[in-house]
Tab-separated table of all heavy atoms in Angstrom:
chain	number	residue	atom	x	y	z
A	68	LEU	N	0.041	19.547	-1.512
A	68	LEU	CA	-1.352	19.908	-1.758
A	68	LEU	C	-1.725	19.656	-3.216
A	68	LEU	O	-2.830	19.174	-3.519
A	68	LEU	CB	-1.576	21.379	-1.397
A	68	LEU	CG	-3.028	21.871	-1.371
A	68	LEU	CD1	-3.857	21.076	-0.383
A	68	LEU	CD2	-3.071	23.361	-1.022
A	69	ALA	N	-0.811	19.948	-4.135
A	69	ALA	CA	-1.070	19.692	-5.559
A	69	ALA	C	-1.281	18.209	-5.809
A	69	ALA	O	-2.159	17.810	-6.579
A	69	ALA	CB	0.094	20.213	-6.400
A	70	ALA	N	-0.471	17.367	-5.154
A	70	ALA	CA	-0.631	15.921	-5.297
A	70	ALA	C	-1.941	15.453	-4.669
A	70	ALA	O	-2.644	14.597	-5.216
A	70	ALA	CB	0.550	15.197	-4.656
A	71	PHE	N	-2.291	16.030	-3.530
A	71	PHE	CA	-3.514	15.626	-2.834
A	71	PHE	C	-4.766	15.979	-3.636
A	71	PHE	O	-5.765	15.252	-3.605
A	71	PHE	CB	-3.570	16.309	-1.463
A	71	PHE	CG	-4.801	15.967	-0.672
A	71	PHE	CD1	-4.940	14.726	-0.071
A	71	PHE	CD2	-5.832	16.889	-0.525
A	71	PHE	CE1	-6.080	14.408	0.649
A	71	PHE	CE2	-6.973	16.583	0.190
A	71	PHE	CZ	-7.093	15.339	0.786
A	72	LEU	N	-4.710	17.086	-4.376
A	72	LEU	CA	-5.894	17.564	-5.098
A	72	LEU	C	-5.976	17.036	-6.530
A	72	LEU	O	-6.816	17.494	-7.307
A	72	LEU	CB	-5.903	19.093	-5.115
A	72	LEU	CG	-6.091	19.761	-3.748
A	72	LEU	CD1	-5.943	21.265	-3.858
A	72	LEU	CD2	-7.445	19.407	-3.161
A	73	MET	N	-5.135	16.061	-6.884
A	73	MET	CA	-5.193	15.479	-8.227
A	73	MET	C	-6.594	15.050	-8.646
A	73	MET	O	-7.013	15.311	-9.774
A	73	MET	CB	-4.259	14.263	-8.320
A	73	MET	CG	-2.814	14.565	-8.479
A	73	MET	SD	-1.891	13.025	-8.838
A	73	MET	CE	-2.105	12.110	-7.300
A	74	PRO	N	-7.351	14.371	-7.779
A	74	PRO	CA	-8.659	13.877	-8.233
A	74	PRO	C	-9.780	14.906	-8.169
A	74	PRO	O	-10.932	14.566	-8.471
A	74	PRO	CB	-8.938	12.714	-7.270
A	74	PRO	CG	-8.259	13.111	-6.002
A	74	PRO	CD	-7.017	13.858	-6.428
A	75	ILE	N	-9.485	16.136	-7.780
A	75	ILE	CA	-10.524	17.170	-7.725
A	75	ILE	C	-10.607	17.827	-9.100
A	75	ILE	O	-9.680	18.507	-9.533
A	75	ILE	CB	-10.201	18.226	-6.644
A	75	ILE	CG1	-10.003	17.541	-5.284
A	75	ILE	CG2	-11.318	19.259	-6.574
A	75	ILE	CD1	-11.182	16.737	-4.805
A	76	LEU	N	-11.724	17.631	-9.793
A	76	LEU	CA	-11.829	18.049	-11.191
A	76	LEU	C	-12.449	19.420	-11.379
A	76	LEU	O	-12.784	19.789	-12.505
A	76	LEU	CB	-12.639	17.002	-11.976
A	76	LEU	CG	-12.041	15.591	-11.995
A	76	LEU	CD1	-12.863	14.686	-12.879
A	76	LEU	CD2	-10.588	15.611	-12.459
A	77	TYR	N	-12.666	20.165	-10.287
A	77	TYR	CA	-13.106	21.546	-10.464
A	77	TYR	C	-12.096	22.282	-11.341
A	77	TYR	O	-10.895	22.223	-11.103
A	77	TYR	CB	-13.175	22.269	-9.117
A	77	TYR	CG	-14.409	21.967	-8.311
A	77	TYR	CD1	-14.303	21.388	-7.059
A	77	TYR	CD2	-15.672	22.274	-8.796
A	77	TYR	CE1	-15.424	21.113	-6.306
A	77	TYR	CE2	-16.801	22.003	-8.052
A	77	TYR	CZ	-16.683	21.422	-6.799
A	77	TYR	OH	-17.802	21.156	-6.067
A	78	ASP	N	-12.564	22.962	-12.351
A	78	ASP	CA	-11.635	23.725	-13.168
A	78	ASP	C	-12.344	24.917	-13.798
A	78	ASP	O	-13.565	25.017	-13.793
A	78	ASP	CB	-11.002	22.850	-14.253
A	78	ASP	CG	-12.022	22.350	-15.286
A	78	ASP	OD1	-13.223	22.637	-15.134
A	78	ASP	OD2	-11.603	21.677	-16.244
A	79	ILE	N	-11.530	25.832	-14.273
A	79	ILE	CA	-12.025	26.936	-15.103
A	79	ILE	C	-11.662	26.559	-16.527
A	79	ILE	O	-10.481	26.489	-16.879
A	79	ILE	CB	-11.374	28.274	-14.699
A	79	ILE	CG1	-11.696	28.590	-13.241
A	79	ILE	CG2	-11.863	29.397	-15.600
A	79	ILE	CD1	-10.943	29.785	-12.689
A	80	ASN	N	-12.666	26.287	-17.343
A	80	ASN	CA	-12.430	25.769	-18.683
A	80	ASN	C	-12.692	26.868	-19.707
A	80	ASN	O	-13.839	27.180	-20.023
A	80	ASN	CB	-13.333	24.565	-18.944
A	80	ASN	CG	-12.824	23.720	-20.098
A	80	ASN	OD1	-12.080	24.212	-20.942
A	80	ASN	ND2	-13.222	22.464	-20.127
A	81	PHE	N	-11.619	27.453	-20.223
A	81	PHE	CA	-11.740	28.542	-21.184
A	81	PHE	C	-12.180	28.005	-22.546
A	81	PHE	O	-11.637	27.034	-23.046
A	81	PHE	CB	-10.409	29.283	-21.310
A	81	PHE	CG	-9.962	29.929	-20.026
A	81	PHE	CD1	-9.035	29.306	-19.192
A	81	PHE	CD2	-10.492	31.149	-19.630
A	81	PHE	CE1	-8.634	29.902	-18.003
A	81	PHE	CE2	-10.092	31.753	-18.445
A	81	PHE	CZ	-9.167	31.126	-17.632
A	82	TYR	N	-13.179	28.671	-23.121
A	82	TYR	CA	-13.684	28.371	-24.475
A	82	TYR	C	-14.320	26.979	-24.585
A	82	TYR	O	-14.383	26.402	-25.673
A	82	TYR	CB	-12.563	28.507	-25.516
A	82	TYR	CG	-11.910	29.860	-25.523
A	82	TYR	CD1	-10.603	30.021	-25.059
A	82	TYR	CD2	-12.601	30.989	-25.951
A	82	TYR	CE1	-9.997	31.259	-25.038
A	82	TYR	CE2	-12.002	32.239	-25.930
A	82	TYR	CZ	-10.705	32.377	-25.474
A	82	TYR	OH	-10.108	33.606	-25.457
A	83	TYR	N	-14.786	26.452	-23.468
A	83	TYR	CA	-15.474	25.155	-23.496
A	83	TYR	C	-16.685	25.225	-24.422
A	83	TYR	O	-17.446	26.190	-24.405
A	83	TYR	CB	-15.922	24.782	-22.084
A	83	TYR	CG	-16.734	23.506	-22.004
A	83	TYR	CD1	-16.095	22.274	-21.955
A	83	TYR	CD2	-18.131	23.534	-21.980
A	83	TYR	CE1	-16.827	21.100	-21.868
A	83	TYR	CE2	-18.865	22.362	-21.904
A	83	TYR	CZ	-18.203	21.151	-21.849
A	83	TYR	OH	-18.936	19.986	-21.770
A	84	GLN	N	-16.876	24.203	-25.253
A	84	GLN	CA	-17.985	24.169	-26.202
A	84	GLN	C	-19.064	23.202	-25.730
A	84	GLN	O	-18.785	22.015	-25.512
A	84	GLN	CB	-17.494	23.751	-27.595
A	84	GLN	CG	-16.609	24.777	-28.268
A	84	GLN	CD	-16.377	24.455	-29.734
A	84	GLN	OE1	-17.049	23.609	-30.320
A	84	GLN	NE2	-15.408	25.135	-30.342
A	85	GLU	N	-20.253	23.730	-25.534
A	85	GLU	CA	-21.384	22.877	-25.176
A	85	GLU	C	-21.764	22.002	-26.373
A	85	GLU	O	-21.751	22.447	-27.516
A	85	GLU	CB	-22.582	23.751	-24.781
A	85	GLU	CG	-22.359	24.604	-23.530
A	85	GLU	CD	-22.411	23.793	-22.249
A	85	GLU	OE1	-22.807	22.610	-22.317
A	85	GLU	OE2	-22.041	24.335	-21.182
A	86	ASP	N	-22.104	20.752	-26.074
A	86	ASP	CA	-22.577	19.818	-27.102
A	86	ASP	C	-21.657	19.765	-28.320
A	86	ASP	O	-22.024	20.184	-29.430
A	86	ASP	CB	-23.998	20.191	-27.550
A	86	ASP	CG	-24.991	20.186	-26.402
A	86	ASP	OD1	-24.898	19.269	-25.564
A	86	ASP	OD2	-25.832	21.099	-26.348
A	87	PRO	N	-20.433	19.276	-28.148
A	87	PRO	CA	-19.529	19.161	-29.301
A	87	PRO	C	-20.124	18.233	-30.355
A	87	PRO	O	-20.907	17.327	-30.032
A	87	PRO	CB	-18.253	18.569	-28.686
A	87	PRO	CG	-18.689	17.934	-27.410
A	87	PRO	CD	-19.830	18.739	-26.905
A	88	PRO	N	-19.748	18.421	-31.613
A	88	PRO	CA	-20.361	17.638	-32.692
A	88	PRO	C	-19.978	16.168	-32.701
A	88	PRO	O	-20.607	15.370	-33.397
A	88	PRO	CB	-19.844	18.344	-33.962
A	88	PRO	CG	-18.583	19.023	-33.540
A	88	PRO	CD	-18.811	19.440	-32.116
Side-chain angles (χ1 to χ4, degrees):
L68 190 59
F71 179 74
L72 294 174
M73 282 189 294
I75 304 302
L76 300 184
Y77 280 119
D78 65 357
I79 300 172
N80 199 338
F81 298 98
Y82 303 110
Y83 176 83
Q84 292 191 13
E85 296 285 350
D86 301 319

